[in-house]
Amino acid sequence: MKPFAFARPADVAEAVRTVAADPAAVFLAGGTNLVDHLKLGVATPDVVVDVRRLTSREIADTADGGLRMGAAVTNSELAADRRVRERYPVLAQALLAGASGQLRNAATTGGNPLQRTRCVYFSDVTTPCNKREPGSGCSAIGGYTRYHAVLGVPPTPPGPTAPDTCIATHPSDMAVALAALDAQVQVLGPHGERTIPFVELHRLPDGDPSRDTVLEHGDLITAIDLPALPLAVNSQYRKVRDRASYAFALVSVAAALEVADGVVRDVRIALGGVAHKPWRATAAEEALRGAPATEESYRAAAAAELAGAVPQPGIDDGNAFKIPLVGRTLIAVLRDLTPSEA
Amino acid sequence: MDAEISLRVDGEAHRLTVDTRTTLLDALRERLGNTSPKKGCDHGQCGACTVLLDGERALTCLALAVAYDGAEVVTADGLAADGELHPVQQAFLDRDAFQCGYCTPGQVCSAVGVLDEVRRGWPSHASPDLTGDPELSHDEVAERMSGNICRCAAYVNIVPAVQQAGGQAS
Amino acid sequence: MTELVEPRAMGRALVRRDGVQKVRGTATYAVDTPVDLPAYCHPVQATIARGRVTAMDTTDAEAVDGVLAVLTPFDAERLASTEDAEYAVLQSDEVAFRGQLIGVVIAETSEVAREAADRVRVSYAGQPHDTELSADRDDLYAPGQVNAGHETDTAEGDVAAAMAAAAVTVEQTYETAMYHNNPLEPHATTALWDAAGDGFLTLWDSTQGVHPDRAAVCQVFGLAEGQVQVICPYVGGGFGSKGTPHANVMLTAMAARALPGRAVRLALTRQQMFFLAGYRTPTIQQVQLAADRDGRLSAIAIDVVEQTSKIKEFAEQTGVPARMMYASPSRRTTHRLAALDVPVPSWMRAPGECPGMFGPEVAMDELAEALAIDPIELRIRNEPEVDPETGKPWSSRHLVECLREGAERFGWAGRGPRGHRDGDWLVGTGVAASVYPTLRQATSTATIRFAGGRYVVEIGAADLGTGSWTILPQIAADALGVDVADVDARIGDTRHPVASVAGGSSGTNTWGSAIVQAAREFRGTFGTDPHDGAEASGDVDQAAQDEDHAAYAFGAQFVEARVHADTGEVRVPRLLGVFAVGRVINPRTARSQFIGGMTMGLSMALHENSVFDTRIGQVANHDLAEYHVVSNADVDAVEAYWLDEHDPYVNAMGSKGIGEIGIVGTAAAVSNAVHHATGVRVRSLPITLDKLLPALP
Ligand SMILES: Cc1cc2nc3c(=O)[nH]c(=O)nc-3n(C[C@H](O)[C@H](O)[C@H](O)COP(=O)(O)OP(=O)(O)OC[C@H]3O[C@@H](n4cnc5c(N)ncnc54)[C@H](O)[C@@H]3O)c2cc1C
Ligand code: FES
Ligand code: FES
């Protein structure tokens, strides 16, 4: 681990100034991802700026009937909040499906969506990785791809030495729920405040896999807002993983469904573990709106979303299984969310 | 780069100088000589380093000591500070809820945290109803304790130990 | 026949004597030992899988404030012996596998040591490496023998002819994955060289045997035994990987010698353990079974392909259990190895039996299915009267009783050929048999002293969580005929009499035998009213070593598996084992051993898999977030029972060893249950959802 200075500014404005002023400065919240990466040599900052006690630790009702979740609210507190449990069960479930009790006590609302990929090559500084070291190549192509993307990847694999390839997935569970819930991200940057729709926060590799999100250096997440979304009362997060707990998703599905008279009135779907970002399943949503709330529609919606999926070959048969797996999981979740009288 | 911090550990106040890179785990073990929390992975993947940090269970291997200046730490040793075992510790003994003992201080602190979280009504992934009050069922305890890996695999004894300490018949 | 000690303390479920320290965290593991001003080491590892280190630039590393020394192959001391290539740390510029130790930094703090190690710049002349295990390789070879001194190949009768003539045959390939032991306590050492005189080395090392550990260190450094003390009162798990020292121990001793008078600590990181601490080889098992319509076997064959490292051979004895498990006139077992540019494989819980009871026990299930015979009945029909391998009578063999009692307890009766569906879950049940040889090592000595009204037993034994602290006094108490509360044990230190390694489930059998001898000596010399300071020693009684019987522990594991109909996720709500292991000395600690072994078998069945990336020559998932071991939520009911078995041939306690048998057979039972639930035969571990998905409704 490289030495670094530790700064605890007086307020968020100073924190943003401090980071903005130094290209090698980073924010620290719960530290469960950053400290991991400091030890691995994946993150090598000169200055670590502690914002854990600066941003808000409140969950406040908003004027439009939604919730504002301060960046310092821990994953545990958020999952335990009555309003979240009752009005946005998909979010509580996603949080509770993530990491472990101890980690959720430290992990924050601001830090969780900004955690970086769990690609084993990204974490191992002795192997090439375009995300960690732009231009060095992608060790995952043809390697251990079980936890890698099938959506948002080029139809023909570019080869391991291509300088801007990346087939990593975003590992957060919480983020998948937030993507489904039309959340908004409140950002304080060097040039002031702005709001970013959560679905636009994360990006595809698009030529620069080193950037996970659209945030600029020095941008601080101060809060994340949930809109009033009545259909979210009927929502669910389903995570499929290699062990029953304390494991990242192979695939996951966040969905909210509103059915009336046997017809899908409205729906929100996001998929996890399948792409470089939490994957808002707009094709599936479109296919479902107005369609009969039947297994057949659900199957068609899954097929529509996964039409462009590309399996990644690799060790132990690669990850082709994820395409049927996420499809089946989506269908199962929608089936579960369908009111029995429908 | 060095920093001076203060910590209250198992009831005792300390001022100490740490490297900014020093984790809370290494501060406890290597600076203060408190080796009750163990290092099993150093990356948040096993739970052996669990303590109660300002009253909540936390992994000390992913916490920078400087970031927890002024914090109150209780280790498994501190749970028995007056020489008498904490009910969770007694239950672990009664149920033979360990073998090699390396994960045990972390399991014990985690269990103390779990019982408190259940008391506060926090749900878990295993809760049948997100909005109801959680009970100390097998599945609830097993899920909540899953952040503590036991390679000796004492799990089937750990769950009843936690239930016993939580005052549930099992 | 041995004179069995009358059990009074033995058989009682006494609470662990080291329990209070363990629940408080005050038990001192290797790097917990308080020492003055310890220095910290961080190793430097090779990042190529084969070739040479051409240069190491340590300037930057040495410039870091707080660095005390940096050792590389170019300046490290020359060791007295480099015969064991695994231990020849920093002795040459050659790189034989990725992750090999090529240097070490010693510093005032752990943070500085790690930073400086990162700053060592290494240049290599790399060569193409070869790390791919396959049964099709043309350079597979037959080792001289396999682990524990077993023959490499055995053959009897004509398997091919039996296969051709049989009414029913099974011929399949089974695979077990690469596994890493991953004890929760990393391999860790504190080393202190006394500066004065010829030098005296104290090692607080995490080891399954202080004496074997010391012997290896003495050999490597050319020291007399009197110059080295190894101390290890507590071990945070080993599962075989601390049964022999690994290179990290030699590196720590070397680092300490560079700073005489100063204690240095080195704990491998979890990631480093995947390169340096041993592992179980992947195995490829071609199994053949031939049987008549009644299920009576006419042939059993297993041809095993597995790997070893080029620098040091380790041949897992995977084919060995098939030699004695079932009666069959024709039998063949073979082992072939691929020598690769990979880390050195080693012992892992039940080497041989653990992987070697996967293929054959799934094959038996396949045979039962083909014959439409109940799998328990099939095993009973092939029960051998004497050991098929040696022709010797069994010291005791109660496999059938284990199967029957297990069936009863599990509720096996009425099980049909297919499982059933329960809501979203496909439910099935499965069974497999297990076996483990009853071993006793030749060398161990115990001393018993009467002091201050108490009996003190001293022996350099180890407690890896197995319960030695608690059960050795139980044995001593009964051998002496005194209350167990009046007996103290001192273990885990080379100052105590020599003890064999805690391995092969032989620890209690061996150390207990020595303790019983010491007690008999003691009573013979001092009678029942000894004077203060009276002391007697005893060795493992060679005369009582029974050569006329085949001695094994047996067991049967039953599993209920549930497979999610949508996703293929597998859960095992119930795991039940019945074992015949001779006398159980402490039911409390024994039960923990059984459930621990069975749960580790479940872990092997469903989760564990070191995914080897042959392109770079390393385990891709080399940490505990990606190498999944079973978590609490994966485990539900695990029940262990044992028969009241009396075996007069094995040793004076009548005990057979219990540490390993629990893991044996479990993975096969899980695979058989998953087949019952889904119709899918998973012959290649682990049983992950991707292997089931294509067959789901
Ligand atoms: C073993 C293990 C298992 C895990 N399993 C899961 C899992 O199953 N599912 C899951 O979703 N997660 C899992 N996690 C990840 C965990 O959820 C994240 O590490 C955590 O949510 C990150 O939050 P933090 O507050 O600790 O972030 P930090 O580590 O403090 O920060 C993470 C990143 O965000 C930046 N950052 C933090 N706060 C802000 C802010 N307010 N504004 C701008 N930038 C900021 C930091 O600079 C850093 O780059 C696991 C982690 C571990 C170690
Ligand atoms: S040492 Fe902290 S979680 Fe493993
Ligand atoms: S008791 Fe050994 S790891 Fe849990």
Side-chain angles (χ1 to χ4, degrees):
Chain A
M1 205 193 303
K2 227 181 77 184
F4 53 79
F6 186 81
R8 193 183 298 121
D11 55 29
V12 287
E14 189 188 332
V16 169
R17 277 199 305 278
T18 312
V19 170
D22 183 345
V26 295
F27 296 118
L28 170 76
T32 58
N33 195 232
L34 184 66
V35 177
D36 190 359
H37 286 159
L38 293 173
K39 292 186 196 190
L40 292 169
V42 168
T44 54
D46 290 338
V47 186
V48 170
V49 180
D50 190 1
V51 296
R52 187 172 57 96
R53 300 188 239 199
L54 300 185
T55 51
S56 160
R57 203 168 167 170
E58 305 248 300
I59 306 166
D61 292 301
T62 57
D64 73 344
L67 289 179
R68 168 158 294 187
M69 309 173 289
V73 172
T74 66
N75 287 180
S76 295
E77 291 162 346
L78 190 56
D81 188 272
R82 284 268 154 207
R83 294 160 292 181
V84 174
R85 283 149 75 181
E86 280 161 16
R87 282 148 57 186
Y88 310 94
V90 63
L91 177 58
Q93 288 170 358
L95 288 161
L96 294 172
S100 70
Q102 293 97 307
L103 285 160
R104 292 191 296 270
N105 281 348
T108 62
T109 303
N112 186 314
L114 298 182
Q115 64 176 296
R116 310 206 64 194
T117 182
R118 303 301 294 200
C119 170
V120 294
Y121 304 101
F122 173 75
S123 306
D124 182 344
V125 296
T126 69
T127 61
C129 167
N130 286 327
K131 183 179 277 301
R132 179 169 30 75
E133 211 178 308
S136 62
C138 174
S139 301
I141 300 279
Y144 181 46
T145 57
R146 187 171 180 83
Y147 286 86
H148 288 74
V150 291
L151 288 169
V153 290
T156 42
T161 53
D164 52 11
T165 312
C166 178
I167 56 168
T169 48
H170 193 265
S172 164
D173 292 299
M174 178 197 193
V176 183
L178 292 176
L181 291 172
D182 297 330
Q184 303 279 324
V185 186
Q186 301 300 337
V187 177
L188 177 65
H191 310 294
E193 294 181 339
R194 66 187 196 284
T195 303
I196 304 172
F198 193 85
V199 287
E200 289 168 24
L201 178 66
H202 296 92
R203 49 191 297 286
L204 290 176
D206 265 347
D208 184 6
S210 72
R211 294 185 58 205
D212 299 345
T213 67
V214 299
L215 295 182
E216 301 290 337
H217 185 71
D219 277 347
L220 179 76
I221 295 181
T222 54
I224 297 180
D225 293 351
L226 291 175
L229 195 67
L231 88 152
V233 172
N234 186 38
S235 65
Q236 194 187 105
Y237 187 72
R238 177 77 161 93
K239 178 177 182 179
V240 182
R241 40 187 158 172
D242 272 332
R243 74 179 166 194
S245 188
Y246 205 14
F248 286 92
L250 283 166
V251 304
S252 68
V253 172
L257 183 70
E258 187 188 339
V259 175
D261 305 326
V263 171
V264 175
R265 278 297 146 84
D266 202 2
V267 62
R268 300 284 185 285
I269 301 170
L271 309 177
V274 290
H276 192 258
K277 61 177 190 180
W279 189 264
R280 179 70 180 258
T282 45
E285 288 180 10
E286 246 163 68
L288 284 171
R289 275 193 198 97
T294 60
E295 185 91 6
E296 210 184 336
S297 307
Y298 300 159
R299 222 175 274 140
E305 193 61 53
L306 297 170
V310 182
Q312 304 299 320
I315 303 169
D316 288 347
D317 295 336
N319 73 0
F321 73 93
K322 289 174 85 166
I323 301 171
L325 178 62
V326 71
R328 295 173 69 97
T329 310
L330 172 57
I331 294 162
V333 166
L334 293 171
R335 195 193 301 136
D336 262 16
L337 289 172
T338 308
S340 37
E341 65 273 14
Chain B
M1 264 163 254
D2 283 349
E4 209 186 325
I5 62 166
S6 56
L7 289 174
R8 221 181 148 71
V9 180
D10 295 341
E12 210 178 302
H14 298 271
R15 275 207 80 71
L16 63 157
T17 304
V18 294
D19 194 308
T20 51
R21 296 171 291 186
T22 306
T23 60
L24 198 48
L25 179 60
D26 289 341
L28 292 167
R29 291 179 54 86
E30 296 173 3
R31 305 299 199 281
L32 297 177
N34 184 328
T35 55
S36 178
K38 307 297 180 201
K39 187 181 287 187
C41 70
D42 214 18
H43 287 270
Q45 305 168 354
C46 76
C49 64
T50 306
V51 301
L52 296 163
L53 177 59
D54 291 327
E56 289 189 353
R57 53 181 176 147
L59 301 180
T60 48
C61 70
L62 292 183
L64 291 178
V66 272
Y68 289 87
D69 185 12
E72 161 106 42
V73 174
V74 178
T75 70
D77 193 23
L79 287 172
D82 52 6
E84 199 169 309
L85 294 184
H86 186 282
V88 166
Q89 291 171 316
Q90 188 59 50
F92 268 64
L93 265 190
D94 294 346
R95 303 282 176 155
D96 207 41
F98 55 91
Q99 292 188 49
C100 79
Y102 199 76
C103 71
T104 315
Q107 301 272 4
V108 163
C109 290
S110 192
V112 172
V114 164
L115 294 176
D116 186 49
E117 291 164 12
V118 169
R119 225 170 281 131
R120 288 153 75 180
W122 288 12
S124 86
H125 177 66
S127 303
D129 170 12
L130 261 189
T131 54
D133 277 328
E135 287 172 14
L136 285 181
S137 66
H138 171 276
D139 288 3
E140 279 282 6
V141 174
E143 162 59 25
R144 288 168 194 266
M145 290 297 294
S146 279
N148 293 82
I149 297 297
C150 178
R151 185 54 162 159
C152 298
Y155 299 125
V156 287
N157 292 349
I158 290 170
V159 171
V162 178
Q163 289 172 319
Q164 174 185 322
Q168 300 262 320
S170 60
Chain C
M1 219 187 297
T2 321
E3 195 192 326
L4 285 182
V5 174
E6 166 118 12
R8 281 179 301 261
M10 289 194 287
R12 285 173 58 198
L14 301 181
V15 173
R16 286 175 197 267
R17 290 191 167 197
D18 50 351
V20 170
Q21 292 95 302
K22 285 182 172 174
V23 297
R24 294 183 62 153
T26 53
T28 44
Y29 300 86
V31 292
D32 295 349
T33 316
V35 289
D36 282 339
L37 210 68
Y40 295 86
C41 297
H42 199 89
V44 181
Q45 293 176 276
T47 57
I48 60 167
R50 183 163 164 254
R52 273 187 329 108
V53 175
T54 52
M56 286 175 76
D57 181 352
T58 58
T59 331
D60 274 7
E62 277 155 3
V64 180
D65 201 22
V67 169
L68 298 165
V70 182
L71 305 181
T72 72
F74 303 104
D75 52 27
E77 65 165 297
R78 295 301 105 182
L79 294 168
S81 167
T82 56
E83 202 181 304
D84 187 320
E86 184 185 5
Y87 299 158
V89 287
L90 314 191
Q91 298 303 291
S92 94
D93 58 4
E94 276 187 42
V95 176
F97 61 89
R98 190 172 173 120
Q100 178 185 312
L101 294 172
I102 55 168
V104 65
V105 174
I106 314 148
E108 295 287 353
T109 67
S110 57
E111 295 84 15
V112 169
R114 181 191 279 252
E115 176 195 351
D118 289 345
R119 289 183 188 273
V120 173
R121 275 194 291 274
V122 187
S123 314
Y124 300 97
Q127 279 170 11
H129 62 261
D130 176 6
T131 60
E132 184 142 18
L133 175 64
S134 134
D136 305 328
R137 293 180 66 106
D138 56 14
D139 60 351
L140 298 173
Y141 75 97
Q145 57 175 35
V146 294
N147 183 46
H150 293 282
E151 282 177 81
T152 302
D153 296 348
T154 58
E156 204 175 315
D158 186 342
V159 170
M163 288 292 287
V168 181
T169 61
V170 172
E171 191 162 1
Q172 289 291 353
T173 301
Y174 303 88
E175 293 176 322
T176 58
M178 176 187 283
Y179 305 110
H180 280 79
N181 310 56
N182 274 313
L184 204 61
E185 181 203 17
H187 293 65
T189 315
T190 302
L192 173 64
W193 276 94
D194 199 334
D198 289 345
F200 184 89
L201 173 64
T202 309
L203 289 172
W204 293 267
D205 191 28
S206 187
T207 171
Q208 292 174 224
V210 287
H211 288 97
D213 201 26
R214 179 175 69 176
V217 170
C218 287
Q219 158 109 32
V220 168
F221 286 89
L223 300 167
E225 292 199 338
Q227 282 176 278
V228 181
Q229 182 183 2
V230 179
I231 302 169
C232 181
Y234 307 102
V235 190
F239 312 109
S241 72
K242 295 171 183 168
T244 51
H246 295 289
N248 60 297
V249 179
M250 308 308 163
L251 189 70
T252 319
M254 186 186 270
R257 183 128 85 170
L259 290 179
R262 182 112 190 238
V264 307
R265 298 210 205 267
L266 192 159
L268 290 181
T269 66
R270 182 59 54 180
Q271 288 83 349
Q272 288 162 354
M273 287 168 68
F274 282 81
F275 299 87
L276 295 165
Y279 62 95
R280 195 195 310 276
T281 173
T283 72
I284 304 167
Q285 313 173 11
Q286 280 166 22
V287 176
Q288 292 173 305
L289 298 178
D292 65 17
R293 281 266 159 243
D294 294 332
R296 251 165 282 273
L297 290 166
S298 53
I300 301 176
I302 179 167
D303 298 301
V304 179
V305 175
E306 49 198 18
Q307 75 185 42
T308 185
S309 74
K310 275 190 191 152
I311 56 165
K312 180 171 171 179
E313 184 182 278
F314 179 84
E316 177 116 4
Q317 70 274 37
T318 306
V320 164
R323 294 174 185 172
M324 50 62 64
M325 197 61 196
Y326 299 112
S328 170
S330 298
R331 291 195 317 278
R332 184 185 70 238
T333 66
T334 67
H335 295 86
R336 295 295 176 269
L337 298 184
L340 304 175
D341 301 311
V342 293
V344 186
S346 182
W347 296 336
M348 180 165 171
R349 204 171 198 168
E353 276 72 19
C354 173
M357 286 292 277
F358 176 68
E361 286 299 299
V362 177
M364 285 296 276
D365 204 65
E366 301 204 43
L367 183 62
E369 185 192 16
L371 290 161
I373 296 179
D374 179 83
I376 293 178
E377 178 57 29
L378 177 67
R379 286 171 174 89
I380 292 172
R381 286 186 194 173
N382 288 289
E383 183 68 3
E385 266 171 41
V386 294
D387 176 9
E389 186 179 11
T390 60
K392 291 179 187 177
W394 304 105
S395 70
S396 55
R397 174 169 169 134
H398 294 110
L399 172 62
V400 172
E401 290 78 356
C402 290
L403 286 162
R404 292 216 165 106
E405 181 169 336
E408 179 71 32
R409 289 180 178 277
F410 188 78
W412 185 263
R415 174 186 184 264
R418 276 283 161 270
H420 67 278
R421 185 165 179 157
D422 174 14
D424 289 338
W425 297 90
L426 309 174
V427 186
T429 54
V431 66
S434 54
V435 64
Y436 199 77
T438 302
L439 304 173
R440 196 175 65 173
Q441 311 293 328
T443 319
S444 275
T445 303
T447 295
I448 295 177
R449 195 169 46 252
F450 185 67
R454 301 183 61 74
Y455 292 86
V456 181
V457 182
E458 293 184 343
I459 181 165
D463 188 332
L464 339 176
T466 43
S468 312
W469 278 112
T470 314
I471 67 173
L472 296 183
Q474 290 179 270
I475 295 169
D478 287 353
L480 287 163
V482 299
D483 191 338
V484 66
D486 294 335
V487 181
D488 294 324
R490 307 249 164 91
I491 64 170
D493 193 322
T494 49
R495 276 179 312 191
H496 305 321
V498 62
S500 58
V501 66
S505 295
S506 68
T508 304
N509 300 343
T510 309
W511 311 326
S513 298
I515 288 170
V516 170
Q517 276 308 107
R520 286 174 180 162
E521 279 294 322
F522 187 95
R523 285 290 180 236
T525 312
F526 304 107
T528 50
D529 187 19
H531 63 84
D532 194 69
E535 181 179 307
S537 294
D539 300 335
V540 175
D541 182 4
Q542 297 310 322
Q545 178 70 52
D546 176 281
E547 300 291 350
D548 303 331
H549 294 85
Y552 291 86
F554 292 90
Q557 273 96 326
F558 293 78
V559 167
E560 178 188 332
R562 298 170 84 88
V563 176
H564 198 280
D566 290 315
T567 61
E569 294 157 288
V570 184
R571 298 284 184 269
V572 172
R574 198 160 173 222
L575 192 54
L576 184 151
V578 178
F579 301 95
V581 292
R583 177 180 287 148
V584 166
I585 293 168
N586 182 326
R588 163 187 292 264
T589 55
R591 182 172 173 270
S592 286
Q593 292 259 75
F594 289 127
I595 61 172
M598 289 161 67
T599 308
M600 199 183 254
L602 174 65
S603 191
M604 166 188 181
L606 298 186
H607 308 295
E608 293 187 42
N609 184 11
S610 298
V611 179
F612 205 84
D613 188 334
T614 54
R615 303 169 310 164
I616 52 177
Q618 74 173 31
V619 175
N621 54 338
H622 56 276
D623 65 23
L624 284 179
E626 319 297 331
Y627 180 94
H628 293 134
V629 303
V630 73
S631 78
N632 202 324
D634 294 286
V635 181
D636 199 334
V638 182
E639 302 162 61
Y641 303 95
W642 50 88
L643 307 178
D644 190 17
E645 187 180 64
H646 294 268
D647 191 321
Y649 299 107
V650 287
N651 52 54
M653 292 79 62
S655 65
K656 286 184 170 178
I658 55 176
E660 308 183 62
I661 191 165
I663 195 175
V664 180
T666 304
V670 175
S671 180
N672 295 341
V674 166
H675 173 261
H676 192 236
T678 62
V680 182
R681 265 301 160 200
V682 180
R683 300 187 182 92
S684 176
L685 292 176
I687 306 164
T688 44
L689 55 84
D690 46 301
K691 295 171 185 167
L692 305 174
L693 216 46
L696 295 179

